[in-house]
Structures are given as structure tokens and as C-alpha cells.
Amino acid sequence: MSKVTIELSSPGIIELLKSDEVSDICEKEAERMTKAAGFPYVSDVRKGWTRVIAGGYQKKKVDKDTDVCPKCNKAHPNCRCHKGKNK
């Protein structure tokens, strides 16, 4: 049997945990979980110092059209495309 050595790189792991791909996965899962709750919650994904953070927050009333994401037509607080922000 051969020996396998795996060396972990902290900056590489942090880069992976903060990547757009992981962010997209977390956003989809958070949205799925908030829909399953049956209450008016919205998913929120943001990047922290070391990883992507996903959560569900109570939905606020949307009074203006500017509060709705023009890309996906949903009201979520930290959308990356909201108000012209890029990914």
C-alpha cells in the first residue's frame, strides 16, 4: 500500500471557502431552507473574513422597486447584483 501525504494550505482553504462557487451553493441551500420554514424569510449570503456566511432573515415589507433585485426579481438584503454590484 502506498503512502499518501496531503498538505493543507490555510490561505488556499480560505480562498476556497470564500469563492463564488461556494457562495452560490450556500445561497441555494439557504433559500431552500427558508422556503421549507413556511414563514416569510429570505436567504442572505455574505462573505466573512474566512468563509461565506449564509442565513435566513425575516422578510421585511418591500415598499420601493429599488429593494427588489433586478436580476432575480426577489427581495433579499445582500444580493451581489443589487444596485449594480458585480459578483
Side-chain angles (χ1 to χ4, degrees):
M1 196 177 258
S2 65
K3 285 188 173 184
V4 176
T5 304
I6 299 174
E7 185 177 322
L8 296 178
S9 164
S10 286
I13 299 291
I14 291 172
E15 184 179 336
L16 172 68
L17 292 175
K18 290 175 69 175
S19 70
D20 288 337
E21 291 83 5
V22 171
S23 178
D24 291 341
I25 291 168
C26 289
E27 185 171 16
K28 287 177 187 174
E29 287 301 310
E31 187 173 326
R32 183 184 65 82
M33 291 173 69
T34 55
K35 284 182 181 178
F39 296 105
Y41 283 92
V42 292
S43 61
D44 179 32
V45 177
R46 56 190 168 92
K47 290 186 181 180
W49 288 99
T50 58
R51 64 184 167 269
V52 172
I53 301 166
Y57 301 95
Q58 188 170 8
K59 187 174 183 177
K60 297 179 182 178
K61 289 185 179 180
V62 179
D63 294 330
K64 299 179 182 177
D65 291 336
T66 57
D67 292 337
V68 176
C69 173
K71 184 177 178 183
C72 60
N73 230 9
K74 296 179 183 176
H76 46 102
N78 290 331
C79 180
R80 288 186 304 258
C81 57
H82 185 64
K83 295 183 181 177
K85 293 180 183 176
N86 294 329
K87 283 188 177 182

